[in-house]
């Protein structure tokens, strides 16, 4: 079936054209128009295989008809048939985009011209299909039909331009399927593919108008959220995680999955596409490291971030210039409420950044080796303060936190000894705390130094107990005096029966093994009373006293003596 649109004012001429075409056994569907409006209506109404048009008509012209076809973005072969055509008219028609032209008195050539034009059109279409396929493969992931990394990158470039114009921020989320390899092996290849397609579909259902989801690795997806600020990004990240709590349907089977998300914000976390992608990846690995479902990029935790490198330089200077100061938090004996010591907590006031929390600068110090001079400076100040209080008649032992790195320093014990002698302090005025999880990384290595410190007469505490999965029976083999139950259990022991049970049984078992128990994170009277009932030995926390700077703790200690 050949669908012919004729632009022709004369019904006779139109009939002549159809007559020619019929001679070649074409089954025809034809319509004749002779005005621009009728032409547009005909083009809108249905698809046409070819347009055969008169050159000059009273109310219309061939070139105008051609322009209408082109304006509509249609690629329909266009042949001009005319009574009198000059060479220059013909050239003008071909230049304007007509495929062919012929004279009315040589109609026998029409069939050949039509065939030729149709062949050419088909070749053009085939070419376009190939181009589209190439374009598709260059910009889409064929498995999930989602945009691929290349398209995401182009969209990111656009997003940066839009963001600058609109004064908006946007977010890039990197999303990873936990244990995809196992899922894939368990499901088999085809179902594994279906699984990924379902993931893609569910991701797409979470998108807003100008967002984009892309597949950027075997089990990695990226989401561009535009526009999007920090709180919004976190909220949307959590919503996406929540959306995946429902199992996926893979070939009729419900398949559970868990995801991890890393978030980088533009322009805060990167002023180029490459940087933003890299930082979203870093955020993802931070989440993995924390065992968290979601994490925001943090330049201070990014090993290759210039900000972090600068901060290491600042930290080195801060230690040298005594910019790391100590705050002290009291500990009381529950039996009689007397003060039994203080914990020294390091504080860094950065001249430009302000307060940098120890949870940020201690890991930085550990990775850069600065933990050794840092600990030494903390120790020095701690012993010095204990000496001053001692002279005022207050026996207040000071607890210093040690990193595992410190335990690997063969000179540590000698340095501590020298310090105590230098300040004429007895060893039992110094205590050390080391976190359970760090200790369990290499307990044998720590054993030697712990033994030597304990031999000096220094009391050792296992900090954050309950988070490191070690057994008390094992810890008892180490020369430690006490465990500090991690504040995460103490903080909610009134409202959470599980926490209360953990606290209580830790106290009982520790006592059986001859260890003392300290509870940290005591924030209210009920907790304090409950702990006393459980037979806990010592307590520390905001309810008893916050960490205080030097003069403030001195005033506090004075009221207690
Ligand atoms: P940590 O040793 O477990 O110290 C206790 C943390 O709990 C302190 O946070 C303290 O401010 C906080 N805290 C105390 N009472 C309460 C309470 O009632 N409720 C709550 N919610 N929190 C309470 P901070 O000072 O931010 O210290 C964080 C961590 O940094 C410390 O945890 C310790 O592991 C590390 N750190 C601090 N100073 C040093 C140091 O000189 N050397 C080493 N290696 N680590 C240090
Ligand atoms: Ca501690
Ligand atoms: Ca602790």
């Amino acid at each position: 079936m050949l669908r012919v649109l004729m632009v022709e004012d004369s019904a006779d001429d139109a009939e002549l054209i159809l007559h020619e075409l019929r001679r070649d056994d074409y089954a025809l569907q034809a319509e004749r128009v002779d005005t621009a409006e009728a032409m547009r209506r005909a083009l809108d109404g249905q698809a046409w295989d070819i347009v055969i048009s008169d050159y000059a008509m009273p109310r219309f012209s061939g070139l105008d008809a051609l322009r209408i076809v082109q304006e509509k973005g249609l690629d329909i072969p266009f042949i001009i048939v005319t009574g009198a055509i000059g060479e220059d008219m013909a050239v003008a028609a071909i230049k304007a985009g007509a495929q062919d032209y012929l004279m009315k008195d040589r109609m026998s050539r029409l069939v050949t011209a039509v065939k030729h034009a149709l062949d050419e059109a088909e070749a053009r279409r085939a070419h376009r299909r190939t181009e589209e396929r190439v374009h598709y493969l260059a910009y889409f992931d064929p498995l999930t039909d989602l945009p691929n990394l290349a398209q995401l990158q182009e969209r990111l470039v656009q997003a940066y331009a839009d963001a600058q114009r609109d004064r908006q921020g946007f977010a890039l989320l990197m999303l990873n399927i936990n244990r995809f390899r196992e899922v894939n092996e368990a499901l088999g290849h085809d179902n594994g593919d279906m699984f990924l397609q379902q993931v893609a579909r569910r991701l797409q259902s979470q998108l807003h108008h100008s967002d984009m989801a892309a597949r950027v690795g075997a089990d990695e997806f990226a989401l561009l959220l535009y526009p999007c600020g920090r709180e919004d990004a976190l909220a949307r990240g959590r919503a996406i995680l929540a959306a995946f709590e429902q199992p996926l349907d893979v070939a009729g089977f419900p398949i559970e999955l868990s995801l991890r998300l890393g978030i980088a914000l533009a322009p805060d976390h990167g002023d180029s596409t490459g940087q933003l992608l890299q930082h979203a990846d870093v955020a993802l690995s931070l989440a993995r490291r924390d065992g968290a479902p979601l994490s925001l990029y943090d330049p201070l935790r990014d090993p290759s971030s210039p900000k972090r490198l600068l901060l290491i330089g600042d930290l080195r200077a801060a230690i040298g210039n005594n910019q790391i100061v100590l705050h002290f938090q009291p500990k009381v004996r529950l039996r009689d409420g007397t003060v039994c010591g203080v914990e020294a907590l390091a504080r860094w006031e950065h001249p430009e950044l302000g307060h940098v929390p120890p949870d940020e600068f201690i890991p930085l110090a550990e990775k850069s080796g600065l933990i050794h001079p840092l600990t030494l400076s903390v120790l020095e100040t701690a012993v010095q303060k204990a000496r001053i209080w001692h002279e005022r008649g207050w026996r207040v032992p000071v607890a210093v936190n040690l990193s595992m790195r410190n335990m690997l320093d063969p000179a540590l014990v000698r340095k501590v000894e020298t310090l105590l002698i230098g300040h004429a302090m007895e060893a039992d005025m110094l205590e050390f705390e080391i976190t359970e999880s760090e200790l369990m990384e290499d307990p044998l290595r720590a054993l030697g130094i712990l033994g030597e410190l304990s031999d000096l007469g220094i009391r050792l505490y296992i900090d954050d107990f309950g988070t490191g999965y070690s057994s008390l029976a094992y810890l008892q083999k180490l020369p430690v005096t006490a465990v500090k139950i991690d504040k995460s259990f103490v903080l909610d022991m009134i409202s959470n029966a599980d926490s209360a049970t953990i606290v209580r049984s830790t106290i009982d078992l520790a006592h059986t093994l001859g260890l003392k128990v300290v509870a940290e994170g005591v924030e209210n009277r009920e907790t304090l009373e409950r702990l006393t009932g459980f037979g806990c030995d010592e307590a520390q926390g905001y309810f008893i006293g916050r960490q205080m700077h030097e003069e403030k703790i001195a005033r506090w200690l004075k009221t207690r003596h």
Side-chain angles (χ1 to χ4, degrees), residues 241 259-262 287 291-295:
L241 292 173
L259 300 176
R260 238 190 254 298
L261 259 175
L294 173 152
S295 176

Side-chain angles (χ1 to χ4, degrees), residues 329 343-347 358-359 362 371 378 401-403 433 463-464 487 491 520-523 541-542 547:
Q329 186 178 33
E343 177 176 3
L345 293 160
R347 292 288 175 269
D359 289 335
I362 298 290
I371 193 67
V378 169
N401 291 285
L402 285 187
S403 290
E433 299 185 3
D463 207 349
D464 299 350
K487 57 177 174 285
L491 284 172
E520 61 172 18
V522 179
E523 292 192 351
Y542 295 167
Q547 51 274 48

Side-chain angles (χ1 to χ4, degrees), residues 22-50:
R22 271 195 211 101
R23 284 190 353 162
D24 202 60
D25 293 338
Y26 273 122
L28 294 177
Q29 187 209 338
E31 185 177 335
R32 180 175 72 87
V33 295
D34 61 357
T35 63
E37 301 82 72
M39 172 89 185
R40 287 205 176 85
R41 247 191 329 270
L43 288 173
D44 291 342
Q46 69 161 93
W48 298 99
D49 298 312
I50 194 156

